[in-house]
Amino acid sequence: MLELQTFEALFKENHAHCLAFATHYTGDAHVAEEIVQQVFLRLWEKRDTITITGPVKAYLFSAIRNTAISQWRKDIVRSEKENGYGKVTETTVGAGEEVKELERLYRQALERLPERCREVFILSRQQHMKYAEIAEAMNISVKTVENQMGKALKILHQELKEYLPLLTGFLF
């Protein structure tokens, strides 16, 4: 259970970094502030049930990224409704294509990982399993899981280095 003092310290320590990341990710300081506030509010509301494994900053950046994408999708739907059903604006098409391209590059980089690295990475980042759970499921040591995650992150970092500002919270 996250206590108020611990949460306040977490907020003070990470708010500026989260806001900078969200601003860079969204390109809008006001939207970024709203997203960061939503993420911290959800963290507080789910404090009794949430378990964060790994670095807190990585969790927060991932939550910011996911919230921004969710907000972006809602904005597209709202824009489509305002412009009439079935109409898609040039902006939404362009943004959608950029996201699809980024997802394609990410999947390609993931496929180039050695098999064990890829399995560990997917279980950790996409299936949200803890390192101990991964070790048990794959019948390997926790240290091996740590090493494989480090290797996977290093390779993905190198493969996707020009896209890091968009992926930092998601992968790293």
Side-chain angles (χ1 to χ4, degrees), residues 16 19 32 34 50 59 65 85 88 90 99-101 106-107 114 119 135 139-140 148 151 165-166 170:
L19 186 57
E34 287 179 28
I50 198 165
Y59 171 85
R65 178 193 167 276
Y85 288 101
V88 180
E90 250 180 69
V99 170
K100 285 179 186 176
E101 176 65 10
Y106 165 69
R107 282 191 306 275
E119 289 175 20
N139 199 25
I140 57 177
Q148 292 298 310
K151 185 176 181 179
L166 298 175
F170 179 60

Side-chain angles (χ1 to χ4, degrees), residues 32 73 82 85 98 144 158 165:
R73 287 181 179 147
E82 288 173 0
Y85 288 101
E98 289 174 6
T144 301
Q158 187 63 32

Side-chain angles (χ1 to χ4, degrees), residues 53 62 66 122-130 133:
T53 58
S62 181
N66 293 337
I122 289 170
L123 291 173
S124 174
R125 294 297 206 252
Q126 295 177 3
Q127 302 298 320
H128 307 290
M129 291 176 68
K130 297 177 183 176
E133 295 171 332

